[in-house]
């Protein structure tokens, strides 16, 4: 039966197992009317406004290796072990540093659930980063992982070029340090070289320098030309290329307002990332949407459409322009460390929740970052408060959680990752058991009628999947739009996103609850659905009685295609 491509079609299944889903005679309160079998559908149809559909039976052998799915080994193992509803939904990001940059360590992180590897361009050389990227891509290709790569720009900020040690150094209380913009040769203990010549302009004796948002603190005791002699007042770990801020009488002294969002080094790092084929670029110290648009336009001109731009929220200005920045970006990182320098720390929890809410309403993935398990940089177990913090971010339905120093320089990076994995899985299970799904204000995003239809289909599909108790949601997508709309609604079952575009697959790796699969898709949607379900069943991950809800945003091969912008419920027999 032919329909227009902008029709709303709900396709459901009538079999002896229909009562499993509570389908009976109504769907969403609409009467289900049996109608004559339609040729080509292979089964009875039910009508909800327009029509609905088929049963899967007589599954055939997959005959060619080309039909094999790009199923990453971690998701496949998790599915076999825990089943569909036991799969972790919250994504995990690990910062790669000296403590975890070997092939062996990277493989262990990937096996531990790392979805995205973050490279902080503040640290190490481009050759070092290039080597790490090659290792991750090799693991993906040879070991069957699906780990995306993100680079994080340094941003125009005042930071340390050298602090007299090759790695981190402990600043002891009472020790005297010299902060200077001079470029010195050789090693100079207790001397901090900064990247910005005007770093001391307007700074007075008695002001306080705070390192990396509170890792250590120094009081200015003397100005010597453009240099500052300072005494450590709060001891702590001093990292290479650490950022610092100035405080006077308990208030932040603005020092970065005259600096551009993207420095010359940032542009060079971005060019490096594009040439290396990274999946995400996280933009530091974004104050408004213009810098995000500027970078996206540059990437578009470079034909790097698969590289997504994330904006880091870490300043008061970015909070004032939050919605504009979220709309312009492809995702957001809540950089709580630097943000906590600019706003009172007691406001961080509510600000984090507000950013997460806005991102979800506007359908943009959000990463909660900084100091999630900070104690595990030095200790093998987290504090209970840290576990509660992680669980709260999961309860707020953040798309992803990120390790920084815990994995980059800590001695217990793999243990820290396992803590994130266990805490997020447990909180997701508790939320589902308690039926505590967050109620989302359904802000309409689509401007065109097809976009609005797709949005409504995804909203209804998730409600239907939850109410019917299906085992999984399958979405067939070119650019990932429908997969992200489904994720936005935080369904109970996992979302399997089938795409033939590898850039889309790697981008969806950051979306809550989405398992992206790379597969060749044809113009025949019914063939795509049958083939992918065949493969998964033969791999032993689908069994008789399992039910999946199917949606698609692929362009139909012909105008009377009934699989375009539709909802189908299929069961395996």
């Amino acid at each position: 039966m032919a329909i227009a491509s902008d029709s709303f079609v709900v396709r459901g299944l009538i079999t002896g197992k229909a009562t499993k889903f509570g389908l009976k005679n109504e769907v969403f309160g609409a009467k289900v009317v049996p109608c004559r079998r339609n040729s080509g559908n292979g089964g009875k149809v039910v009508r909800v406004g327009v029509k609905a559909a088929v049963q899967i039976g007589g599954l055939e052998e997959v005959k060619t290796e080309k039909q094999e799915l790009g199923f990453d080994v971690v998701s496949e193992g998790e599915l076999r072990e825990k089943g569909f509803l036991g799969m972790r939904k919250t994504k995990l990001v690990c910062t790669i540093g000296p403590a975890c940059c070997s092939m062996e360590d990277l493989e262990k992180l990937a096996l531990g659930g790392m979805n995205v590897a973050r490279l902080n361009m503040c640290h190490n050389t481009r050759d070092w980063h290039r080597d790490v990227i090659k290792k991750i891509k090799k693991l993906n290709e040879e070991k069957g992982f699906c780990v995306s790569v993100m680079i994080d720009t340094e941003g125009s900020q005042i930071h340390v070029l050298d602090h007299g040690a090759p790695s981190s150094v402990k600043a002891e209380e009472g020790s005297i340090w010299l902060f200077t913009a001079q470029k010195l040769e050789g090693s100079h203990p207790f001397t901090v070289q900064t990247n910005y010549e005007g770093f001391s302009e307007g700074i007075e004796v008695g002001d306080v320098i705070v390192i990396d948002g509170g890792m250590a603190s120094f009081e200015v005791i003397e100005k010597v030309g453009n240099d500052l002699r300072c005494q450590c007042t709060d001891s702590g770990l001093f990292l290479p290329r650490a950022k610092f801020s100035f405080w006077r009488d308990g208030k932040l002294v603005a020092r970065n307002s005259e600096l551009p969002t993207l420095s010359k080094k940032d542009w060079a790092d971005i060019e490096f990332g594009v040439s290396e084929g990274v999946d995400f670029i996280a933009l530091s110290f974004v104050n408004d949407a213009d810098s995000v648009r500027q970078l996206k336009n540059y990437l578009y001109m470079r034909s790097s459409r698969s590289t997504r731009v994330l904006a880091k929220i870490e300043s008061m200005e970015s909070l004032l322009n939050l919605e504009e920045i979220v709309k312009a970006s492809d995702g957001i990182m809540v950089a709580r460390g630097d943000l906590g320098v600019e706003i009172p720390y007691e406001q961080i929890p509510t600000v984090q929740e507000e950013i997460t809410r806005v991102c979800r309403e506007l359908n943009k993935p959000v990463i909660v970052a900084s100091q999630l398990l900070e104690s595990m940089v030095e200790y093998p177990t987290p504090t209970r408060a840290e576990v509660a913090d992680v669980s709260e971010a999961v309860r707020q339905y953040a798309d992803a959680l990120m390790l920084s120093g815990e994995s980059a320089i800590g001695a217990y990076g793999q243990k820290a990752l396992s803590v994130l994995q266990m805490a997020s899985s447990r909180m997701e299970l508790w939320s589902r058991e308690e039926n505590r799904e967050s109620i989302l204000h359904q802000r309409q995003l689509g401007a065109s009628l097809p976009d609005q239809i797709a949005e409504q289909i995804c909203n209804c599909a998730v409600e239907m999947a939850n109410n019917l108790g299906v085992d999984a949601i399958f979405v067939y997508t070119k650019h990932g739009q429908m997969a992200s709309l489904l994720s936005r609604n935080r369904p109970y079952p996992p979302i399997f996103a089938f795409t033939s575009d590898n850039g889309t697959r790697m981008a969806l790796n950051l979306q809550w609850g989405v398992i992206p699969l790379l597969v060749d898709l044809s113009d025949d949607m019914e063939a795509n659905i049958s083939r992918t379900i065949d493969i998964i069943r033969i791999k032993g991950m689908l069994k008789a009685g399992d039910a999946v809800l199917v949606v698609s945003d692929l362009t139909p091969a012909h105008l009377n295609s009934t699989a375009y912008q539709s909802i189908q419920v299929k069961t395996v027999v």
Side-chain angles (χ1 to χ4, degrees):
M1 189 181 298
I3 61 167
S5 63
D6 60 353
S7 297
F8 174 51
V9 184
V10 176
R11 306 181 69 190
L13 170 67
I14 294 184
T15 68
K17 291 182 176 291
T19 54
K20 170 185 176 182
F21 313 113
L23 192 56
K24 297 182 181 178
N25 296 320
E26 290 188 352
V27 176
F28 298 145
K31 194 73 173 178
V32 176
V33 183
C35 64
R36 189 172 54 190
R37 177 172 176 166
N38 185 32
S39 61
N41 280 344
K44 262 185 180 177
V45 296
V46 293
R47 216 182 270 264
V48 183
V50 184
K51 62 184 173 189
V54 299
Q55 172 177 334
I56 304 170
L59 294 173
E60 299 178 356
E61 289 288 330
V62 179
K63 297 181 180 179
T64 66
E65 288 298 321
K66 291 182 180 179
Q67 292 178 322
E68 193 67 26
L69 292 175
F71 213 133
D72 77 281
V73 294
V74 176
S75 295
E76 183 173 339
E78 191 175 29
L79 176 55
R80 293 181 187 278
E81 179 186 354
K82 301 179 180 179
F84 288 105
L85 292 182
M87 299 187 75
R88 171 176 48 85
K89 308 290 200 310
T90 307
K91 300 306 178 73
L92 306 178
V93 183
C94 296
T95 302
I96 308 303
C100 62
C101 62
S102 70
M103 184 69 82
E104 181 182 4
D105 288 330
L106 290 170
E107 183 173 355
K108 288 179 180 178
L109 290 176
L111 285 169
M114 174 176 66
N115 301 107
V116 180
R118 169 187 176 246
L119 299 174
N120 189 345
M121 301 308 291
C122 291
H123 307 291
N124 302 306
T125 65
R126 292 194 187 106
D127 286 340
W128 184 91
H129 291 297
R130 182 180 291 109
D131 180 63
V132 171
I133 293 171
K134 287 181 178 178
K135 288 174 182 175
I136 293 169
K137 290 186 175 182
K138 186 176 182 180
L139 286 171
N140 287 344
E141 293 169 5
E142 297 182 1
K143 301 286 188 176
F145 295 111
C146 180
V147 177
S148 301
V149 178
M150 173 196 299
I151 64 168
D152 195 324
T153 65
E154 184 175 287
S156 294
Q157 55 187 311
I158 302 173
H159 66 258
V160 175
L161 288 177
D162 188 274
H163 58 22
S167 59
S168 60
V169 63
K170 186 71 174 291
E172 299 290 352
E173 186 174 352
S175 58
I176 305 298
W177 294 68
L178 177 69
F179 286 71
T180 179
Q182 298 178 54
K183 303 302 182 284
L184 304 174
E185 297 295 333
S187 178
H188 296 267
F190 301 102
T191 300
V192 178
Q193 299 176 47
T194 73
N195 68 318
Y196 178 47
E197 290 185 1
F199 84 101
S200 63
E201 293 177 4
I203 300 305
E204 303 171 359
V205 172
D207 289 349
V208 175
I209 302 176
V210 176
I211 305 298
D212 275 344
M215 292 290 283
S217 298
F218 299 82
E219 181 180 350
V220 178
I221 59 176
E222 183 182 6
K223 290 193 70 173
V224 184
N226 292 326
D227 300 342
L228 301 176
R229 282 176 55 81
C230 304
Q231 183 177 33
C232 180
T233 53
D234 291 310
S235 63
L237 203 59
F238 208 153
L239 303 179
R241 301 186 75 82
K243 295 167 284 188
F244 57 86
S245 55
F246 292 93
W247 290 75
R248 182 180 302 149
D249 299 327
K251 295 181 181 179
L252 183 69
V253 180
R255 304 296 300 144
N256 294 329
S257 57
E258 69 274 22
L259 301 175
T261 298
L262 285 164
S263 66
K264 290 182 179 180
K265 180 181 182 299
D266 290 334
W267 282 113
D269 289 338
I270 288 166
E271 183 64 29
F272 163 80
V274 171
S275 66
E276 294 298 319
V278 302
D279 304 294
F280 301 99
I281 296 175
L283 200 55
S284 294
F285 294 97
V286 174
N287 291 328
D288 54 50
D290 289 341
S291 55
V292 178
R293 297 190 191 102
Q294 182 185 13
L295 178 53
K296 292 185 72 171
N297 288 338
Y298 169 79
L299 294 173
Y300 180 82
M301 296 299 293
R302 282 292 312 270
S303 298
S304 300
R305 300 179 185 180
S306 62
T307 305
R308 270 56 173 188
V309 177
L310 307 180
K312 295 174 67 176
I313 304 299
E314 50 193 335
S315 68
M316 181 62 73
E317 289 84 354
S318 64
L319 290 177
L320 295 176
N321 299 307
L322 178 63
E323 188 160 320
E324 178 188 11
I325 293 171
V326 174
K327 287 179 179 178
S329 70
D330 298 310
I332 293 295
M333 182 189 296
V334 187
R336 304 186 304 178
D338 288 298
L339 188 58
V341 174
E342 300 234 342
I343 67 174
Y345 53 75
E346 67 270 18
Q347 294 181 12
I348 291 293
T350 53
V351 167
Q352 172 183 306
E353 186 164 16
E354 175 66 10
I355 295 171
T356 303
R357 181 192 63 79
V358 171
C359 287
R360 190 174 163 204
E361 281 190 10
L362 295 175
N363 197 32
K364 302 295 175 72
V366 57
I367 305 169
V368 173
S370 303
Q371 302 174 338
L372 284 171
L373 300 172
E374 189 70 20
S375 69
M376 293 192 74
V377 172
E378 298 185 62
Y379 301 103
T381 56
T383 67
R384 302 328 181 237
E386 287 170 336
V387 175
D389 178 42
V390 168
S391 299
E392 175 61 15
V394 175
R395 187 197 65 79
Q396 293 173 4
Y397 287 102
D399 289 86
L401 307 174
M402 191 180 95
L403 296 176
S404 297
E406 302 96 328
S407 56
I409 61 171
Y412 307 99
Q414 292 161 30
K415 286 187 176 181
L417 181 61
S418 70
V419 170
L420 287 191
Q421 197 273 344
M422 289 186 291
S424 57
S425 295
R426 184 66 192 93
M427 178 54 68
E428 290 166 6
L429 177 62
W430 179 80
S431 295
R432 188 162 60 245
E433 289 175 346
E434 295 296 316
N435 194 28
R436 288 179 174 270
E437 72 277 12
S438 176
I439 298 174
L440 176 68
H441 171 64
Q442 296 288 2
R443 184 190 302 204
Q444 181 175 297
L445 302 176
S448 66
L449 181 58
D451 285 346
Q452 292 175 19
I453 291 172
E455 194 175 325
Q456 289 301 315
I457 285 178
C458 289
N459 294 344
C460 293
V462 169
E463 182 180 357
M464 190 173 181
N466 289 344
N467 290 340
L468 298 183
V470 301
D471 297 285
I473 298 174
F474 285 8
V475 56
Y476 298 81
T477 180
K478 174 64 175 175
H479 301 295
Q481 179 64 9
M482 258 185 147
S484 68
L485 287 169
L486 290 166
S487 170
R488 174 190 184 217
N489 285 279
R490 304 304 194 248
Y492 291 159
I495 303 162
F496 291 82
F498 302 94
T499 180
S500 56
D501 185 282
N502 191 55
T504 298
R505 181 198 187 196
M506 302 312 281
L508 288 174
N509 221 13
L510 199 56
Q511 295 274 1
W512 187 97
V514 176
I515 297 94
L517 303 169
L518 188 65
V519 59
D520 290 333
L521 297 175
S522 70
D523 289 336
D524 187 337
M525 268 308 304
E526 289 298 330
N528 289 331
I529 295 169
S530 297
R531 183 165 59 86
T532 51
I533 292 179
D534 284 354
I535 297 170
I536 294 179
R537 187 194 185 206
I538 288 172
K539 288 171 74 71
M541 292 179 285
L542 274 176
K543 62 183 184 299
D546 285 345
V548 296
L549 185 145
V550 179
V551 297
S552 171
D553 63 11
L554 297 178
T555 304
H558 42 81
L559 291 178
N560 60 356
S561 170
T562 57
Y564 179 58
Q565 289 193 329
S566 65
I567 303 175
Q568 305 179 53
V569 177
K570 292 179 177 281
T571 192
V572 178
V573 295

